[in-house]
Amino acid sequence: MRTVVVEPFGDVWAVRVDDVEPQLFARGRAAEDAAKIVAERLAAAGDHVEIHLFLRNGQKAARFVCLPPLSAEDSPLLIGGSLLAQAAANVDDTDQRVNA
């Protein structure tokens, strides 16, 4: 499995794939979009890929998995999303159980 990491790099954002020199972006959203494109290209070549997105404070914000296509007619499948939304939902569930 290949890993693509989006993380802060000084005042900019870096997209790293394995030990290759990172691509740098001024905005986090541009780095995330680039990471997804890289993952889809790697998956199209047959690799399983994970994308890890980190915030400036070091917290993991999201995780995606990109799977290779099943046939020549298919596209790679990108699944996953924000871990922060999941954590917030778990906190809400806990609050509701405590308040019940």
Side-chain angles (χ1 to χ4, degrees), residues 17-36:
V17 181
D18 302 326
D19 290 332
V20 178
E21 189 72 24
Q23 297 178 16
L24 302 178
F25 297 87
R27 301 178 60 138
R29 181 60 184 193
E32 179 181 344
D33 291 343
K36 289 177 181 177

Side-chain angles (χ1 to χ4, degrees), residues 48-78:
H48 289 75
V49 184
E50 279 193 11
I51 303 172
H52 299 269
L53 285 87
F54 292 90
L55 300 176
R56 289 215 178 268
N57 67 6
Q59 183 178 8
K60 189 183 284 187
R63 178 177 168 262
F64 296 91
V65 174
C66 194
L67 302 174
L70 295 175
S71 69
E73 294 81 32
D74 290 331
S75 298
L77 176 63
L78 181 68

